[in-house]
Amino acid sequence: MSLITPVEIAAATTVPVLRLELINKFFSRHQVLRDVTLEVERGEVVCIIGPSGAGKSTLLRCINHLENVDSGTVFFEGAPVYRYQRDGKTVIDPDRRIEKIRSQIGMVFQSFNLFPHLTALGNVIEAPINVRRDPPEEARRQGTAVLTKVGLAAKANSYPHQLSGGQQQRVAIARALAMNPKLMLFDEATSALDPELVGDVLRVMRQLASEGMTMVVVTHEMGFARDVADRVIFMADGAIIEEGDPRQLFTAPVNPRTRQFLQSVLDRNGNTEGAG
Amino acid sequence: MFSIDEMISFLPPLLGGAYITITVSLLSFALAAMIGLMMGIARISRSLLLRAIATPYVQFIRGTPLLLQLFFIYYVLPYSGIVLSPFVSGVMGLTLNYSAYMAEVFRGGILAIPKGQWEAGLSVGMSRKLLMRRIILPQALRIVVPAIGNFFVSIFKDSALVSVITMRDLMFSGQILAAATFKHFEIFAMVAAIYFLISYPTAKLVEYIEARLDISRAQAAAAPAHT
């Protein structure tokens, strides 16, 4: 039996789930991320907003190494991942370690990316069975539970093409949740949806947030960011321009670029107040 | 001039040849599909070594005639001490040739799967190998069924080329018979009819499989069955 000292408990609770340190990223010669530094605490919901081309999605994809950073370090639960300096040498993680870390980070894509040849339940239990090696019965039981959670237990045996966009996205959320992730990434999860279907997906996201899930959400839903986020980050041209409490950032942005962006979004979309 | 009795007497040797044609074709097709799939995957592998093997293989074989490949295997290899029977040479030649073309079809099928499928698989912690097996190939194979089916139909006829290396297939049996009896018209008409009787059901079978695998229709039909 191992004893856990109070010091260890304190350490475990203070280590941020995610820490990005001076991340830089180039697509050929175009710099898409500039010295991005960011910490996400356990249970925190961080929303990233900003104009298109600001590097929001790229930043999210660097977090689970779908994109490799050119410089800087990504820390997951305090440990550096992928390409980092140790004893003056550059260490590159083996695929195995990256896969292990990815399995603990759920990601939801703008275009759902469900596996079309598998049923909703098949999508959800694919990784638990083949990556985590859960017994199929156990995986099916848990998979049904997460589908119930996103309100789609009745669609377990439907194929993706038989589901609406909103349903597909909720299956995608269930697929990510089935791995019991320590962190969830949402990459404009509602941008590809018909307006009337956005609400269902946002409702699931709100529920997750209220249950204490750690989330990084790239979104154009200002209402969601304002209501749900613990912290809002405004990005432009690959850099974090401003970050803070949503009430402060939305009502009294400090940086003129933030002000300009929020102004243009509110002008264009007068009903964001009620969204979600 | 036409004698039914005579034509019936031609049947046994021709059917014997047809049996060889079918055997060679089926065997070559199965081997070519397996090698083609491996080469197709190797062509787009992240491993430089695998690409360095697969790419020249495909390019070289596609860049030379099947007839020449058969000659090489049957007439040239013996000079380096490798003597193969006509049957083995024929199967080898057809397999080599078809595998190269199929490799390109498989490669195309794999590349046709949207990048989002890879990303979704990676994001739940799947390895590239697992992803290929569980997510990419099942979708890619459906895409390539029409093209691979096309090869299946044509291999029965392309196999006629193995007659040049003295394999007693349908074509070769017809030639021997014609040379002996001078009944060219009757014999080659019968040979044509037998080739057609092999090819037509084959084409129908491919059509049927295509219809069964039509992704949207098949899944819509299959869904209620999964309970």
Side-chain angles (χ1 to χ4, degrees):
Chain A
M1 196 201 294
S2 68
L3 291 173
I4 300 168
T5 66
V7 176
E8 281 170 331
I9 292 172
T13 49
T14 53
V15 171
V17 176
L18 176 73
R19 174 170 162 73
L20 304 177
E21 202 173 87
L22 293 170
I23 301 293
N24 283 286
K25 169 83 188 162
F26 294 82
F27 286 141
S28 65
R29 268 194 286 167
H30 175 63
Q31 188 164 8
V32 281
L33 293 175
R34 297 165 196 271
D35 286 341
V36 175
T37 294
L38 170 69
E39 269 186 18
V40 180
E41 303 293 338
R42 195 171 305 279
E44 200 179 15
V45 177
V46 175
C47 284
I48 304 177
I49 60 170
S52 57
K56 311 182 295 290
S57 291
T58 306
L59 181 66
L60 212 57
R61 295 157 57 82
C62 285
I63 292 175
N64 67 352
H65 311 282
L66 289 181
E67 302 280 358
N68 299 331
V69 299
D70 290 313
S71 74
T73 309
V74 179
F75 295 83
F76 183 68
E77 298 193 304
V81 189
Y82 181 60
R83 191 191 285 272
Y84 51 91
Q85 301 296 319
R86 185 197 287 154
D87 307 330
K89 273 193 291 190
T90 302
V91 179
I92 296 173
D93 279 313
D95 285 352
R96 188 66 59 82
R97 174 155 193 250
I98 302 290
E99 285 153 16
K100 179 92 187 146
I101 283 166
R102 283 199 191 114
S103 74
Q104 301 173 57
I105 302 177
M107 186 164 197
V108 178
F109 302 86
Q110 181 178 349
S111 50
F112 328 140
N113 298 346
L114 289 182
F115 306 133
H117 60 302
L118 301 176
T119 61
L121 184 61
N123 269 272
V124 171
I125 64 178
E126 178 64 26
I129 290 178
N130 292 299
V131 175
R132 201 169 52 197
R133 302 260 162 223
D134 286 0
E137 271 318 305
E138 169 68 10
R140 216 160 290 147
R141 201 179 54 71
Q142 278 192 13
T144 309
V146 275
L147 278 177
T148 308
K149 188 186 173 89
V150 300
L152 290 173
K155 299 288 183 183
N157 296 313
S158 300
Y159 284 89
H161 73 99
Q162 298 168 317
L163 302 173
S164 74
Q167 290 170 332
Q168 288 190 48
Q169 192 61 299
R170 283 185 283 152
V171 172
I173 293 173
R175 174 174 68 183
L177 290 176
M179 291 297 280
N180 307 113
K182 293 173 175 162
L183 170 64
M184 284 283 285
L185 309 175
F186 292 85
D187 188 3
E188 298 192 21
T190 57
S191 297
L193 296 174
D194 290 341
E196 77 271 20
L197 303 175
V198 169
D200 289 338
V201 172
L202 289 182
R203 206 167 300 127
V204 170
M205 290 168 66
R206 278 170 193 271
Q207 189 195 342
L208 279 179
S210 71
E211 289 168 1
M213 177 62 78
T214 313
M215 295 162 60
V216 180
V217 184
V218 168
T219 187
H220 292 299
E221 297 288 338
M222 296 304 151
F224 178 85
R226 193 198 52 207
D227 296 350
V228 181
D230 297 308
R231 190 150 46 103
V232 175
I233 290 173
F234 172 69
M235 279 183 79
D237 296 327
I240 292 178
I241 304 289
E242 183 169 357
E243 63 174 293
D245 178 272
R247 264 156 309 185
Q248 175 264 315
L249 194 129
F250 281 114
T251 53
V254 178
N255 191 291
R257 297 210 47 184
T258 318
R259 222 174 300 151
Q260 192 195 348
F261 171 76
L262 289 173
Q263 194 56 53
S264 69
V265 170
L266 294 179
D267 283 350
R268 192 179 57 230
N269 197 354
N271 63 357
T272 45
E273 296 303 307
Chain B
M1 183 172 165
F2 293 125
S3 147
I4 295 291
D5 288 346
E6 203 176 42
M7 286 174 78
I8 288 173
S9 74
F10 295 153
L11 261 183
L14 290 183
L15 289 180
Y19 176 75
I20 300 286
T21 287
I22 291 172
T23 311
V24 167
S25 301
L26 288 179
L27 196 57
S28 304
F29 180 81
L31 291 172
M34 278 190 294
I35 296 173
L37 179 59
M38 287 191 290
M39 287 294 169
I41 293 171
R43 281 268 277 157
I44 46 177
S45 160
R46 284 199 300 178
S47 149
L48 187 65
L49 177 71
L50 287 180
R51 287 205 309 275
I53 293 169
T55 304
Y57 176 89
V58 168
Q59 307 290 22
F60 184 74
I61 290 173
R62 290 203 312 163
T64 51
L66 171 57
L67 190 56
L68 182 68
Q69 290 160 10
L70 288 170
F71 276 1
F72 234 87
I73 294 168
Y74 189 63
Y75 294 117
V76 180
L77 281 189
Y79 287 105
S80 51
I82 303 170
V83 182
L84 301 167
S85 71
F87 185 85
V88 172
S89 304
V91 169
M92 207 179 200
L94 281 171
T95 299
L96 274 182
N97 193 266
Y98 269 69
S99 67
Y101 284 94
M102 286 201 216
E104 290 302 272
V105 170
F106 284 123
R107 184 178 71 104
I110 291 166
L111 291 179
I113 304 303
K115 208 165 132 250
Q117 293 289 304
W118 284 96
E119 294 182 345
L122 290 174
S123 78
V124 288
M126 297 176 89
S127 68
R128 294 179 67 84
K129 225 189 221 164
L130 179 65
L131 240 165
M132 180 62 90
R133 183 165 62 79
R134 295 281 312 169
I135 306 299
I136 305 301
L137 280 184
Q139 297 180 57
L141 292 183
R142 282 195 177 122
I143 295 177
V144 303
V145 160
I148 295 296
N150 220 358
F151 284 125
F152 187 58
V153 175
S154 67
I155 199 166
F156 288 98
K157 287 154 296 169
D158 282 358
S159 70
L161 273 178
V162 300
S163 63
V164 301
I165 55 169
T166 73
M167 194 194 299
R168 288 186 165 271
D169 73 330
L170 176 55
M171 190 69 204
F172 192 75
S173 305
Q175 282 171 329
I176 289 177
L177 218 50
T181 62
F182 295 104
K183 302 280 182 185
H184 290 94
F185 180 79
E186 290 91 332
I187 288 166
F188 287 127
M190 287 174 79
V191 168
I194 296 173
Y195 269 118
F196 182 75
L197 286 177
I198 296 170
S199 293
Y200 187 72
T202 315
K204 279 287 163 202
L205 175 71
V206 170
E207 242 172 64
Y208 172 75
I209 293 171
E210 269 176 48
R212 276 294 303 266
L213 280 182
D214 181 322
I215 296 181
S216 52
R217 284 214 319 248
Q219 285 180 352
H226 285 258
T227 49

